[in-house]
Structure formats: structure tokens, C-alpha cells
Short mmCIF file of all heavy atoms in Angstrom, two decimals:
data_model
loop_
_atom_site.label_atom_id
_atom_site.label_comp_id
_atom_site.label_asym_id
_atom_site.label_seq_id
_atom_site.Cartn_x
_atom_site.Cartn_y
_atom_site.Cartn_z
N ALA A 1 108.19 98.37 77.44
CA ALA A 1 107.96 97.37 78.49
C ALA A 1 106.45 97.10 78.62
O ALA A 1 106.03 95.95 78.76
CB ALA A 1 108.53 97.85 79.80
N LEU A 2 105.65 98.14 78.58
CA LEU A 2 104.18 97.98 78.68
C LEU A 2 103.66 97.23 77.46
O LEU A 2 102.75 96.38 77.56
CB LEU A 2 103.52 99.35 78.81
CG LEU A 2 103.87 100.12 80.10
CD1 LEU A 2 103.25 101.54 80.05
CD2 LEU A 2 103.35 99.40 81.35
N ARG A 3 104.20 97.54 76.29
CA ARG A 3 103.79 96.85 75.07
C ARG A 3 104.06 95.34 75.16
O ARG A 3 103.28 94.49 74.69
CB ARG A 3 104.52 97.43 73.84
CG ARG A 3 104.27 96.68 72.55
CD ARG A 3 105.11 97.23 71.40
NE ARG A 3 106.55 97.01 71.61
CZ ARG A 3 107.16 95.85 71.32
NH1 ARG A 3 106.50 94.81 70.86
NH2 ARG A 3 108.49 95.75 71.49
N LEU A 4 105.17 94.99 75.78
CA LEU A 4 105.57 93.59 75.90
C LEU A 4 104.78 92.81 76.93
O LEU A 4 104.82 91.58 76.95
CB LEU A 4 107.08 93.50 76.22
CG LEU A 4 108.02 93.94 75.12
CD1 LEU A 4 109.42 94.16 75.65
CD2 LEU A 4 108.07 92.90 73.98
N GLY A 5 104.07 93.52 77.79
CA GLY A 5 103.23 92.85 78.79
C GLY A 5 103.44 93.25 80.22
O GLY A 5 102.80 92.68 81.13
N ALA A 6 104.28 94.24 80.48
CA ALA A 6 104.47 94.70 81.84
C ALA A 6 103.25 95.47 82.32
O ALA A 6 102.58 96.16 81.56
CB ALA A 6 105.72 95.59 81.95
N ASP A 7 102.97 95.33 83.63
CA ASP A 7 101.90 96.10 84.24
C ASP A 7 102.40 97.42 84.81
O ASP A 7 101.66 98.40 84.92
CB ASP A 7 101.26 95.27 85.36
CG ASP A 7 100.60 94.01 84.83
OD1 ASP A 7 99.55 94.12 84.18
OD2 ASP A 7 101.16 92.92 85.03
N GLU A 8 103.67 97.40 85.25
CA GLU A 8 104.29 98.61 85.80
C GLU A 8 105.74 98.66 85.34
O GLU A 8 106.37 97.61 85.05
CB GLU A 8 104.27 98.59 87.33
CG GLU A 8 102.89 98.55 87.98
CD GLU A 8 102.99 98.54 89.50
OE1 GLU A 8 103.57 99.48 90.05
OE2 GLU A 8 102.55 97.56 90.12
N VAL A 9 106.30 99.87 85.33
CA VAL A 9 107.70 100.06 85.00
C VAL A 9 108.32 100.93 86.09
O VAL A 9 107.80 102.04 86.37
CB VAL A 9 107.90 100.69 83.61
CG1 VAL A 9 109.40 100.82 83.31
CG2 VAL A 9 107.22 99.83 82.54
N VAL A 10 109.44 100.49 86.65
CA VAL A 10 110.12 101.24 87.70
C VAL A 10 111.51 101.62 87.20
O VAL A 10 112.25 100.76 86.71
CB VAL A 10 110.25 100.42 88.98
CG1 VAL A 10 111.16 101.14 90.01
CG2 VAL A 10 108.88 100.14 89.61
N VAL A 11 111.82 102.92 87.27
CA VAL A 11 113.18 103.39 86.97
C VAL A 11 114.03 103.10 88.22
O VAL A 11 113.82 103.74 89.26
CB VAL A 11 113.18 104.86 86.59
CG1 VAL A 11 114.64 105.33 86.32
CG2 VAL A 11 112.34 105.09 85.33
N SER A 12 114.96 102.16 88.10
CA SER A 12 115.64 101.64 89.28
C SER A 12 116.52 102.66 89.98
O SER A 12 116.90 102.49 91.14
CB SER A 12 116.46 100.42 88.90
OG SER A 12 117.36 100.71 87.85
N ARG A 13 116.88 103.74 89.30
CA ARG A 13 117.68 104.80 89.94
C ARG A 13 116.85 105.70 90.84
O ARG A 13 117.40 106.51 91.59
CB ARG A 13 118.38 105.65 88.86
CG ARG A 13 119.45 104.91 88.07
CD ARG A 13 120.30 105.89 87.28
NE ARG A 13 121.39 105.23 86.58
CZ ARG A 13 121.38 104.94 85.29
NH1 ARG A 13 120.33 105.28 84.55
NH2 ARG A 13 122.42 104.34 84.71
N ASN A 14 115.53 105.55 90.78
CA ASN A 14 114.65 106.37 91.59
C ASN A 14 114.37 105.65 92.91
O ASN A 14 113.61 104.69 92.94
CB ASN A 14 113.35 106.63 90.80
CG ASN A 14 112.41 107.62 91.53
OD1 ASN A 14 112.26 107.56 92.75
ND2 ASN A 14 111.81 108.52 90.76
N ALA A 15 115.00 106.11 93.99
CA ALA A 15 114.90 105.44 95.28
C ALA A 15 113.46 105.40 95.79
O ALA A 15 113.06 104.40 96.43
CB ALA A 15 115.79 106.11 96.31
N ASP A 16 112.70 106.43 95.56
CA ASP A 16 111.31 106.47 96.01
C ASP A 16 110.46 105.41 95.30
O ASP A 16 109.63 104.74 95.93
CB ASP A 16 110.68 107.86 95.80
CG ASP A 16 111.29 108.91 96.73
OD1 ASP A 16 111.82 108.50 97.80
OD2 ASP A 16 111.23 110.10 96.39
N GLU A 17 110.66 105.29 93.99
CA GLU A 17 109.93 104.28 93.24
C GLU A 17 110.28 102.89 93.71
O GLU A 17 109.39 102.01 93.85
CB GLU A 17 110.24 104.39 91.74
CG GLU A 17 109.54 105.56 91.04
CD GLU A 17 109.71 105.46 89.53
OE1 GLU A 17 109.42 104.38 88.96
OE2 GLU A 17 110.15 106.45 88.91
N MET A 18 111.54 102.64 93.99
CA MET A 18 111.97 101.35 94.48
C MET A 18 111.37 101.04 95.83
O MET A 18 110.89 99.94 96.11
CB MET A 18 113.51 101.28 94.55
CG MET A 18 114.22 101.37 93.21
SD MET A 18 114.08 99.84 92.22
CE MET A 18 115.26 98.79 93.04
N GLN A 19 111.37 102.03 96.73
CA GLN A 19 110.88 101.83 98.09
C GLN A 19 109.40 101.45 98.12
O GLN A 19 108.96 100.71 99.01
CB GLN A 19 111.14 103.10 98.90
CG GLN A 19 110.74 102.98 100.38
CD GLN A 19 111.46 101.83 101.10
OE1 GLN A 19 112.63 101.54 100.82
NE2 GLN A 19 110.75 101.19 102.01
N LYS A 20 108.64 101.94 97.16
CA LYS A 20 107.22 101.64 97.12
C LYS A 20 106.94 100.14 96.99
O LYS A 20 105.87 99.66 97.34
CB LYS A 20 106.55 102.37 95.95
CG LYS A 20 106.42 103.85 96.11
CD LYS A 20 105.82 104.48 94.85
CE LYS A 20 105.80 106.02 94.96
NZ LYS A 20 105.32 106.62 93.67
N HIS A 21 107.94 99.40 96.45
CA HIS A 21 107.77 97.98 96.21
C HIS A 21 108.47 97.06 97.21
O HIS A 21 108.52 95.86 97.04
CB HIS A 21 108.26 97.64 94.79
CG HIS A 21 107.41 98.22 93.69
ND1 HIS A 21 106.26 97.59 93.23
CD2 HIS A 21 107.53 99.37 93.00
CE1 HIS A 21 105.73 98.34 92.27
NE2 HIS A 21 106.48 99.42 92.11
N ALA A 22 109.02 97.70 98.26
CA ALA A 22 109.79 96.92 99.25
C ALA A 22 108.97 95.79 99.81
O ALA A 22 107.80 95.93 100.18
CB ALA A 22 110.27 97.84 100.36
N GLY A 23 109.60 94.60 99.87
CA GLY A 23 108.98 93.46 100.51
C GLY A 23 107.74 92.91 99.85
O GLY A 23 106.90 92.31 100.54
N SER A 24 107.59 93.07 98.52
CA SER A 24 106.32 92.74 97.89
C SER A 24 106.39 91.68 96.77
O SER A 24 105.35 91.20 96.29
CB SER A 24 105.65 93.99 97.36
OG SER A 24 106.44 94.56 96.30
N PHE A 25 107.61 91.32 96.33
CA PHE A 25 107.70 90.43 95.17
C PHE A 25 107.82 88.95 95.58
O PHE A 25 108.56 88.58 96.49
CB PHE A 25 108.93 90.80 94.33
CG PHE A 25 108.69 92.01 93.47
CD1 PHE A 25 108.92 93.29 93.97
CD2 PHE A 25 108.21 91.89 92.16
CE1 PHE A 25 108.71 94.40 93.20
CE2 PHE A 25 108.01 93.01 91.40
CZ PHE A 25 108.25 94.29 91.91
N ASP A 26 107.11 88.12 94.84
CA ASP A 26 107.24 86.67 95.00
C ASP A 26 108.51 86.17 94.30
O ASP A 26 109.17 85.26 94.76
CB ASP A 26 106.02 85.94 94.40
CG ASP A 26 104.76 86.29 95.13
OD1 ASP A 26 104.58 85.80 96.26
OD2 ASP A 26 103.95 87.08 94.58
N PHE A 27 108.82 86.78 93.14
CA PHE A 27 109.93 86.28 92.32
C PHE A 27 110.46 87.46 91.48
O PHE A 27 109.69 88.28 90.99
CB PHE A 27 109.44 85.18 91.39
CG PHE A 27 110.50 84.72 90.39
CD1 PHE A 27 111.46 83.79 90.77
CD2 PHE A 27 110.51 85.18 89.09
CE1 PHE A 27 112.44 83.36 89.90
CE2 PHE A 27 111.46 84.73 88.16
CZ PHE A 27 112.44 83.84 88.59
N ILE A 28 111.78 87.53 91.38
CA ILE A 28 112.44 88.51 90.51
C ILE A 28 113.43 87.81 89.61
O ILE A 28 114.24 86.99 90.08
CB ILE A 28 113.14 89.62 91.34
CG1 ILE A 28 112.14 90.42 92.16
CG2 ILE A 28 113.93 90.52 90.41
CD1 ILE A 28 112.78 91.47 93.08
N LEU A 29 113.34 88.07 88.33
CA LEU A 29 114.31 87.55 87.36
C LEU A 29 115.31 88.65 87.06
O LEU A 29 114.93 89.72 86.56
CB LEU A 29 113.57 87.14 86.07
CG LEU A 29 114.45 86.50 85.00
CD1 LEU A 29 114.68 85.02 85.33
CD2 LEU A 29 113.81 86.64 83.61
N ASP A 30 116.58 88.40 87.36
CA ASP A 30 117.63 89.40 87.15
C ASP A 30 118.39 89.02 85.89
O ASP A 30 119.14 88.07 85.83
CB ASP A 30 118.56 89.40 88.36
CG ASP A 30 119.58 90.55 88.31
OD1 ASP A 30 119.88 91.02 87.18
OD2 ASP A 30 120.08 90.96 89.36
N ALA A 31 118.13 89.82 84.82
CA ALA A 31 118.71 89.54 83.52
C ALA A 31 119.83 90.49 83.15
O ALA A 31 120.17 90.63 81.94
CB ALA A 31 117.61 89.58 82.44
N VAL A 32 120.42 91.14 84.14
CA VAL A 32 121.46 92.13 83.90
C VAL A 32 122.85 91.52 83.93
O VAL A 32 123.20 90.83 84.91
CB VAL A 32 121.39 93.30 84.91
CG1 VAL A 32 122.52 94.27 84.72
CG2 VAL A 32 120.04 94.01 84.75
N ALA A 33 123.63 91.74 82.91
CA ALA A 33 124.99 91.18 82.86
C ALA A 33 126.04 92.17 83.33
O ALA A 33 127.22 91.79 83.51
CB ALA A 33 125.31 90.71 81.43
#
């Protein structure tokens, strides 16, 4: 993910990592089927 251009990577199963980003995104692209 970092190689492709990501600045950060969050493991979505980690509740603490997710909480750190609460209320902060302008846009999210959901590509999960």
C-alpha cells in the first residue's frame, strides 16, 4: 500500500487504529465486494 502511494495503512480489525481517524476524512472510496 505504501509502495502504491498510501501515506498511512490501517488494519480495519484494529478498533483503536480505526478510532484514531474518527470524523476526519473528506472522502472514502469503498472498493470491497
